[in-house]
């Protein structure tokens, strides 16, 4: 979470610039505010379980980010926490399962489908790559590296897409040719996971 906060802060200008092209120019600043609050919350408290930690992350994001991405990222982390449960550590399979539950939460909340030009288009291929790599016996490091590559490819693939969800969908054809801000921040989340857990 700290590494994701650091990356979001470093890329806040870029995320906001992407959102200024097809949205309302707030994605970087909103997520930076939320992840700064998360990092502060992690400094202030000790957490007894993965579940407690991600509950705090999710609630903090819901309370500070706003817009579409606040509830979506909030739900992602709340679901990751509840799927992980009252444990102190996760093995690779449990991590992959928790992330998958997070994606299902995003889908339940925002109803994104593949190709709608949203964060789903980075997260879903990343988790498919993670699951495939783990079930073929890859190490966590290799599996997360493949997940991060898939997230980056999914992010890049949003550029030619026509937005069908969120604010960008109001632009219709004019949304084509711009990289999705939420897919971009989600690729940073997977990159932070790779950097931190390997
Ligand atoms: P807002 O559009 O309310 O200003 P943000 O700018 O913070 O919110 O986030 C925009 C991002 O949220 C988009 O780039 C997209 O990835 C994601 N998004 C928007 N609507 C949905 C949805 N229904 N399902 C999944 N992701 C969505
Ligand atoms: Mg916005």
């Amino acid at each position: 979470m700290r590494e994701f906060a650091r990356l979001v802060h470093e890329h806040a200008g870029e995320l906001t610039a992407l959102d200024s092209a097809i949205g309302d120019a707030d994605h970087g600043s909103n997520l930076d505010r939320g992840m700064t609050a998360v990092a502060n919350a992690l400094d202030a408290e000790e957490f007894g379980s993965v579940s407690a930690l991600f509950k705090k992350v999710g609630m903090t994001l819901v309370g500070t980010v706003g817009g579409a991405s606040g509830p979506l990222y909030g739900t992602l982390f709340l679901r990751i926490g509840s799927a992980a449960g009252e444990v102190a550590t996760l093995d690779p399979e449990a991590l992959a399962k928790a992330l998958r539950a997070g994606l299902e939460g995003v889908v339940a909340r925002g109803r994104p489908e593949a190709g709608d030009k949203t964060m789903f288009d980075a997260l879903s291929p990343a988790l498919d790559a993670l699951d495939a790599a783990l079930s073929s016996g890859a190490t966590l490091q290799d599996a997360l590296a493949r997940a991060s590559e898939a997230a980056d490819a999914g992010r890049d693939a949003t550029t030619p897409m026509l937005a069908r969800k969120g604010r960008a969908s109001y632009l219709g054809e004019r949304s084509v040719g711009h990289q999705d801000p939420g897919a971009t921040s989600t690729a940073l989340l997977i990159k932070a996971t790779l950097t931190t857990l390997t």
Side-chain angles (χ1 to χ4, degrees):
M1 287 301 97
R2 289 181 204 286
E3 176 63 5
F4 181 42
R6 193 189 70 74
L7 285 177
V8 165
H9 187 69
E10 190 177 289
H11 292 267
E14 176 195 337
L15 294 170
T16 288
L18 292 171
D19 195 34
S20 79
I22 56 170
D24 57 353
D26 65 357
H27 188 60
S29 47
N30 282 350
L31 203 54
D32 188 23
R33 183 174 59 246
M35 287 309 300
T36 300
V38 165
N40 290 338
L42 297 186
D43 287 338
E45 246 182 89
E46 295 272 323
F47 297 90
S49 66
V50 179
S51 151
L53 187 145
F54 280 106
K55 185 170 183 191
K56 183 68 174 192
V57 172
M59 293 307 289
T60 302
L61 291 178
V62 168
T64 54
V65 177
S69 65
L72 289 164
Y73 270 110
T75 302
L76 173 69
F77 292 116
L78 288 170
R79 291 286 188 100
I80 287 173
S82 52
E86 301 294 322
V87 296
T89 58
L90 294 175
D91 64 18
E93 282 68 30
L95 171 70
K97 250 178 113 173
L99 288 166
R100 174 74 53 192
L103 172 66
E104 284 164 5
V106 169
V107 169
R109 182 111 214 170
R111 304 267 161 222
E113 290 176 27
D116 281 355
K117 198 181 182 95
T118 72
M119 60 194 287
F120 179 96
D121 293 306
L123 189 54
S124 176
L127 299 191
D128 288 348
L130 181 65
D131 288 346
L134 289 176
S135 60
S136 75
T139 62
L140 180 61
Q141 175 155 20
D142 283 347
L144 285 172
R146 283 186 230 169
S148 184
E149 277 166 29
D152 288 355
R155 171 202 66 203
D156 294 346
T158 63
T159 300
M161 288 174 186
L162 180 83
R164 287 199 219 90
K165 289 287 181 310
R167 256 174 224 287
S169 67
Y170 308 157
L171 292 178
E173 290 289 341
R174 282 185 294 138
S175 66
V176 172
H178 301 282
Q179 185 175 304
D180 180 61
T184 307
S185 57
T186 297
L188 295 176
L189 173 63
I190 304 300
K191 179 165 289 161
T193 311
L194 168 64
T195 306
T196 312
L197 297 186
T198 60

